[in-house]
């Protein structure tokens, strides 16, 4: 059992570590790490490549986390007595793959799209809530970081107050903490902009 879980975690990590933003950027003749914020995620891809390609990167980042988790669910892991714990480890591995990709020297994205993919596989309603809250908050604030943090908070709250398996509750707390830490630079910038005179 432990070996099977470890194998799925490694698979999830390696798939989710594929830097879709960098791949799409190269196909467009651009290294997005050298432009904009330098981040490999969808927000910077939109800034550098345009909204259409940013959406492509976002969709690919969601899918690369959703796929291995869903595959693990439909494999023998989904039939284990403690399947939620095993799947939670796979989901965490996928998220870590995007944030700390081995292919880029462990310097990756912020994990928002991958988190959406993970929870869309494990708890589709939580994924839907996160997506709706993100779009709504982004429309109101025009700040992707605020949308991302609000969305992950909403998904976490939903999972924590429902009868979701304890392993999934632990997973969402861990992922939310990672995403907040990855956004600390954005939070500092927002704080400075609010203090700056108009």
């Amino acid at each position: 059992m432990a070996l099977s879980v470890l194998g799925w975690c490694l698979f999830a990590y390696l798939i989710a570590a594929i830097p879709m933003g960098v791949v799409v950027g190269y196909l467009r003749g651009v290294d997005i790490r050298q432009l904009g914020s330098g981040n490999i995620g969808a927000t910077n891809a939109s800034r550098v490549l345009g909204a259409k390609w940013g959406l492509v990167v976002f969709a690919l980042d969601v899918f690369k986390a959703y796929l291995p988790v869903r595959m693990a669910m439909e494999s023998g892991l989904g039939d284990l007595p403690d399947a939620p714990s095993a799947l939670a480890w796979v989901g965490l591995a996928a998220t870590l793959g995007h944030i700390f990709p081995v292919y880029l020297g462990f310097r990756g994205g912020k994990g928002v799209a991958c988190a959406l993919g993970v929870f869309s596989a494990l708890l589709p309603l939580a994924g839907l809530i996160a997506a709706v809250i993100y779009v709504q908050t982004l429309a109101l604030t025009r700040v992707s970081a605020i949308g991302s943090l609000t969305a992950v908070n909403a998904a976490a709250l939903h999972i924590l107050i429902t009868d979701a398996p304890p392993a999934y509750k632990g997973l969402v707390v861990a992922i939310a903490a990672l995403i907040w830490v990855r956004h600390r630079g954005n939070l500092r910038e927002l704080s400075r902009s609010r203090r700056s005179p108009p």
Side-chain angles (χ1 to χ4, degrees):
M1 172 183 167
L3 187 60
S4 177
V5 174
L6 182 61
W8 276 107
C9 286
L10 180 60
F11 174 70
Y13 173 87
L14 292 174
I15 293 297
I18 299 171
M20 295 302 184
V22 175
V23 172
V24 172
Y26 277 155
L27 292 175
R28 301 293 297 165
V30 173
D31 185 351
I32 68 170
R33 294 172 296 174
Q34 305 300 321
L35 299 167
S37 68
N39 192 267
I40 67 169
T43 299
N44 194 46
S46 295
R47 186 180 297 119
V48 174
L49 304 173
K52 180 180 73 173
W53 291 106
L55 284 174
V56 170
V57 171
F58 179 80
L60 290 172
D61 280 345
V62 171
F63 183 70
K64 73 180 184 181
Y66 175 90
L67 179 65
V69 175
R70 193 67 198 178
M71 289 175 65
M73 290 179 72
E74 294 176 359
S75 75
L77 287 192
D79 299 324
L80 292 175
D82 192 16
S85 292
L87 294 170
W89 282 112
V90 176
L92 181 61
T95 307
L96 291 174
H98 178 73
I99 296 174
F100 305 108
V102 65
Y103 312 119
L104 298 179
F106 305 102
R107 294 187 296 273
K110 295 178 180 176
V112 177
C114 279
L116 178 59
V118 168
F119 286 107
S120 293
L122 297 176
L123 298 165
L125 181 56
L128 177 61
I129 289 171
V132 170
I133 293 295
Y134 174 80
V135 171
Q136 181 183 43
T137 307
L138 180 62
L140 291 172
T141 66
R142 302 294 181 183
V143 180
S144 181
I146 295 177
S148 298
L149 295 174
T150 304
V152 74
N153 286 351
L157 180 62
H158 168 76
I159 293 171
L160 291 172
I161 66 175
T162 62
D163 60 351
Y168 291 172
K169 294 184 179 185
L171 175 64
V172 76
V173 169
I175 288 178
L178 279 169
I179 290 174
W180 271 86
V181 169
R182 295 293 288 174
H183 279 82
R184 61 190 184 278
N186 300 83
L187 294 172
R188 284 195 295 267
E189 289 177 13
L190 287 169
S191 177
R192 283 196 297 268
S193 67
R194 284 183 176 275
R195 291 198 303 265
S196 299

